[in-house]
Amino acid sequence: MPHLHLGADELLTTTRAVRKRLDLRRPVEREVIAECAALAQQAPNGGNAQMAHFVAVTDPAQRAVLAAVWNRGHREFNPDPGRARALYGERVWGSLEHLAAHLHEVPVHLVPCRAIGVPRAELGHFHWANVFADAHMATWSFMLAARERGLGTCLTTLHLQFEREAAEVLGIPFEAVVQTALVPLAHTIGTDFKPGPRRPVEAVLHWDRW
Ligand SMILES: Cc1cc2nc3c(=O)[nH]c(=O)nc-3n(C[C@H](O)[C@H](O)[C@H](O)COP(=O)(O)O)c2cc1C
C-alpha cells in the first residue's frame, strides 16, 4: 500500500474526523487493515496483557444492521437537531448528519474491543479507565496508520448506547468483551487535510496546578 510519507507532526495534526470525504465506492484491501492492526498492537497497553481487539466488519448486511443501531444511538443522543446544530456548530453537525445517512455504505466498520477478565458489574472506575485506555490507545494508532496509507477514519461512540445489540450482530461475547467505538474506515477522496480548529494551548495546559 503506498504511503503518504507524512512527518510525525503532520500526521498528528492532519488526522481528522473524516465523514464527508470517505470514498464509498472503493473497497479497502484486507492487507492494509491487517497492517494497521499490527501497528496498533505496538501501542501502550496495561501490563502488556494485549487485551485490545479489532472487529473489521466488511459484510454489507452486517454493516447495514450496525448502521441502523448507530443511527438509533444518534437520534437518542441528539433528539433535537436544532439544539445539536447550535451545540456542535454547522460544520460538525452537517458532517455528522452526512455520516449518519451514509454509514451503511462505508466499506469497513472497525469495532475496537477490549477483553475483560471479570464480569462487567464488578469493574470499578480504575478498571474501566484501563479498559477504555487500552482500546483507545490502539485505536488512535490504527487511525494514524490508516491516515498514512491514504485512509480516513472517525472515532464514534454513538452505537455503544445499544452495545448489547451490536454484540449479538457481531457474535461478540457481551460479558467478556467490551466494545469501545465504531470507526468508519475508507480511502479518502483526496489526501490533503489541514490542522483542525482548536483552542489556544494556554487554555488547556496547566502548570503545577489547575
Ligand atoms: C470520545 C469521542 C467520541 C466521539 N464520538 C463521535 C460520534 O459518535 N460520532 C461522530 O461522528 N464523531 C464522533 N467523534 C469525533 C469528534 O467529533 C471529532 O474528533 C472532533 O469533532 C474533532 O474533529 P477534527 O479532528 O476533524 O477537528 C468522537 C470523538 C471522540 C474522541
Side-chain angles (χ1 to χ4, degrees), residues 16-17 19 70 91-92 96 99 154-158 196 198:
R16 296 269 69 76
R19 304 185 188 90
W70 190 98
R91 192 183 67 90
V92 173
L96 186 54
L99 180 62
C154 175
L155 190 140
T156 80
T157 54
L158 290 166
R198 295 294 191 263

Side-chain angles (χ1 to χ4, degrees), residues 34-45 48 50 52 54 137-138 141-142:
E35 216 170 272
C36 293
L39 288 164
Q41 286 184 290
Q42 296 292 328
N45 68 100
N48 203 19
Q50 304 176 49
F54 295 107
M137 293 273 175
S141 285
F142 190 111

Side-chain angles (χ1 to χ4, degrees), residues 45-210:
N45 68 100
N48 203 19
Q50 304 176 49
M51 303 221 279
H53 293 247
F54 295 107
V55 183
V57 186
T58 59
D59 176 63
Q62 298 276 82
R63 286 188 281 123
V65 183
L66 275 188
V69 172
W70 190 98
N71 263 280
R72 197 146 27 93
H74 176 42
R75 299 296 159 212
E76 182 99 358
F77 190 64
N78 301 302
D80 179 348
R83 196 171 167 274
R85 183 177 282 108
L87 191 68
Y88 300 127
E90 185 54 46
R91 192 183 67 90
V92 173
W93 178 247
S95 176
L96 186 54
E97 284 283 81
H98 180 88
L99 180 62
H102 294 282
L103 183 59
H104 62 289
E105 300 167 63
V106 179
V108 185
H109 294 179
L110 185 79
V111 180
C113 299
R114 167 54 153 76
I116 51 174
V118 293
R120 287 175 182 238
E122 289 175 24
L123 293 181
H125 176 72
F126 168 77
H127 290 103
W128 280 114
N130 283 278
V131 166
F132 278 93
D134 262 0
H136 284 324
M137 293 273 175
T139 302
W140 180 234
S141 285
F142 190 111
M143 292 163 73
L144 293 169
R147 160 79 175 129
E148 167 62 14
R149 287 157 179 76
L151 301 167
T153 56
C154 175
L155 190 140
T156 80
T157 54
L158 290 166
H159 89 287
L160 297 178
Q161 292 164 95
F162 304 106
E163 185 194 352
R164 193 186 282 273
E165 278 182 55
E168 277 165 26
V169 175
L170 301 175
I172 295 172
F174 181 78
E175 271 306 327
V177 176
V178 173
Q179 296 165 59
T180 57
L182 188 158
V183 181
L185 174 73
H187 288 277
T188 53
I189 300 167
T191 56
D192 58 311
F193 289 90
K194 295 188 178 58
R198 295 294 191 263
R199 299 155 71 189
V201 71
E202 296 74 30
V204 300
L205 175 60
H206 308 262
W207 295 100
D208 296 327
R209 50 191 296 149
W210 179 265

